[in-house]
Amino acid sequence: HHHHHRRRNGHKAIPKSMTSTLSCFGMGPCFSRRATYSDIADRSEQHEISFQIFSVIDHVKNDADAAIIRRRVEQEILHDACTVEEYTRGASVQQKTVADLQKGILRYLQTKDKYTSLGSMLLKSQAFHLVYGNRSVEQDNHGNNGDDNGNGNGNDDHNKTPDAPSQSLRVVNLPRTRYKKPYIPSKPGTSYDGEFPVESLYPFSVSHQMPFVGIARYNTTQATPHAMIGLDVVAFDAYNPKLYNNEQEFIDIFHESFTQWELSRINMDMDGVTSSSRLYELYVRWSMKEAYTKALGVGMGLGFSSFDIRLEKFDTMDESGGSFPTPTDPAVWPFIETSGRTGIWSRAQIIHREKSSG
């Protein structure tokens, strides 16, 4: 689920080839789509959002002792990594920066966490290079180092630059806000009037949960500080029967993360759907809340039980925030499951409450 602030109606999906930053590191293949959103207030204003997600499952299976990722991180991928400041002044390789970034990936005990962390770093770095004008990231002029997973020969001709450099782009470590949200700083030489916080200039959002790593970002090099974007990836994992007696017991541990309204929505009687529908409904609704707080950039600073998220066409819209869902309201997950769709697009109403008790 990705939360897109204010602009949600109208979309078109265009499959897009793997981008070379990932293919040359062998992190593919990658599912991509683009969606165009019209501004609800001004229909003439169009915003294209690019969404990519890929799986690291094959890498993890083939690298049980993490020897491959260790070698690649140390010798190939992060050997010349840098900070934004080092990149913009063209500094030579700073060994401390490189060592810190390598340690940041390799410190994880489990191989799967090393791979999802590296994938997230590569997607953030790719977003940086696209904003800073290295459009060659859209095409495969790096070769793909013998990795036969995705040729990344971008199909967007308007993004291709003549005589693009053939060396691979450096991985760039982005700064973070005090809420730990990574951001792309303003480009050197661009006028920045300070009207918006610097961290909101180039909105993007990354998320990962094994085996998936994903990014959503505005498909433009222009600053769009009036917009927000949040992405949350949730894998539909079964509950652990060693820890919980049944599914409902697992669902109940989330009761402080939802309002009473949302809990009643998750626990609705879902006749004729699979037994895991309640659990999946919880995951879908959880990811919406996670994506929204990530779009705001406040992380855990906003209590999950302090706001409802209601979807148009699914949930009873109510300005006072008091009404309970009616039995005729369709649940989100069963709708997706029974309609044969791969997902839904919906505008949302978000109701913030005075007290976080719900």
Side-chain angles (χ1 to χ4, degrees):
H1 180 91
H2 67 279
H3 173 84
H4 167 66
H5 185 61
R6 281 183 32 231
R7 301 177 169 82
R8 289 213 97 149
N9 56 336
H11 75 279
K12 57 184 178 184
I14 307 165
K16 186 171 166 297
S17 71
M18 176 73 185
T19 50
S20 58
T21 311
L22 295 173
S23 66
C24 72
F25 296 139
M27 294 296 282
C30 183
F31 166 84
S32 304
R33 77 169 15 170
R34 289 181 174 183
T36 303
Y37 297 84
S38 303
D39 187 305
I40 291 160
D42 174 10
R43 298 301 169 89
S44 65
E45 191 180 350
Q46 296 270 307
H47 301 278
E48 191 176 65
I49 287 175
S50 178
F51 170 66
Q52 284 175 283
I53 188 165
F54 65 96
S55 169
V56 298
I57 192 79
D58 290 339
H59 294 281
V60 174
K61 283 179 180 171
N62 296 328
D63 192 14
D65 61 357
I68 298 172
I69 192 171
R70 181 173 295 280
R71 174 179 58 80
R72 301 199 70 181
V73 161
E74 291 176 347
Q75 297 175 22
E76 297 171 36
I77 302 177
L78 299 184
H79 70 96
D80 61 350
C82 58
T83 64
V84 173
E85 188 269 333
E86 289 163 3
Y87 180 87
T88 51
R89 65 182 168 89
S92 57
V93 175
Q94 306 293 306
Q95 288 308 324
K96 184 181 185 311
T97 301
V98 170
D100 286 348
L101 291 180
Q102 291 179 351
K103 190 190 298 179
I105 302 295
L106 299 175
R107 68 187 168 91
Y108 292 100
L109 294 176
Q110 297 197 39
T111 302
K112 63 180 184 179
D113 296 325
K114 292 181 173 75
Y115 273 101
T116 53
S117 177
L118 176 61
S120 179
M121 182 180 285
L122 292 176
L123 287 175
K124 287 182 283 193
S125 192
Q126 174 180 284
F128 167 84
H129 284 297
L130 287 167
V131 165
Y132 271 55
N134 294 311
R135 304 300 291 180
S136 60
V137 76
E138 290 282 6
Q139 55 192 330
D140 192 11
N141 37 17
H142 306 160
N144 57 4
N145 291 358
D147 291 305
D148 189 25
N149 32 3
N151 60 5
N153 55 358
N155 58 2
D156 293 326
D157 291 336
H158 63 280
N159 282 338
K160 297 200 174 181
T161 25
D163 307 313
S166 59
Q167 78 277 14
S168 61
L169 299 165
R170 295 173 76 177
V171 171
V172 178
N173 189 37
L174 299 180
R176 290 176 178 266
T177 67
R178 64 192 178 101
Y179 292 110
K180 302 286 187 279
K181 181 179 171 75
Y183 67 93
I184 299 169
S186 58
K187 289 188 276 192
T190 55
S191 58
Y192 171 57
D193 58 14
E195 182 186 347
F196 295 95
V198 68
E199 62 265 23
S200 70
L201 294 178
Y202 309 104
F204 73 93
S205 186
V206 291
S207 180
H208 58 82
Q209 183 174 348
M210 181 64 193
F212 302 109
V213 185
I215 188 168
R217 61 176 179 81
Y218 276 88
N219 197 35
T220 175
T221 58
Q222 303 301 310
T224 51
H226 54 282
M228 301 182 223
I229 190 165
L231 171 72
D232 188 52
V233 173
V234 174
F236 279 8
D237 295 331
Y239 71 94
N240 185 342
K242 291 178 184 170
L243 298 177
Y244 307 98
N245 291 319
N246 53 51
E247 192 174 86
Q248 191 61 47
E249 195 174 285
F250 175 73
I251 288 173
D252 287 346
I253 67 167
F254 289 90
H255 75 276
E256 290 186 358
S257 298
F258 292 98
T259 63
Q260 285 300 315
W261 187 91
E262 288 167 323
L263 285 173
S264 64
R265 206 76 188 80
I266 291 162
N267 288 313
M268 271 174 62
D269 187 19
M270 301 181 190
D271 287 333
V273 290
T274 60
S275 62
S276 292
S277 285
R278 274 204 183 95
L279 184 58
Y280 290 174
E281 186 80 5
L282 179 142
Y283 284 149
V284 168
R285 299 218 174 236
W286 170 272
S287 73
M288 293 193 302
K289 295 179 82 101
E290 193 78 60
Y292 175 62
T293 58
K294 287 175 75 173
L296 295 179
V298 295
M300 295 311 218
L302 179 65
F304 270 27
S305 65
S306 68
F307 63 96
D308 282 341
I309 296 186
R310 305 191 184 191
L311 295 182
E312 205 170 62
K313 301 188 182 78
F314 290 92
D315 299 326
T316 304
M317 294 294 176
D318 179 63
E319 291 302 324
S320 70
S323 79
F324 273 71
T326 62
T328 54
D329 285 347
V332 179
W333 174 252
F335 173 80
I336 295 171
E337 190 176 42
T338 57
S339 67
R341 298 186 184 200
T342 52
I344 57 162
W345 300 91
S346 177
R347 289 172 58 193
Q349 178 184 45
I350 295 160
I351 304 169
H352 286 264
R353 299 168 179 279
E354 292 301 312
K355 300 192 182 85
S356 61
S357 64

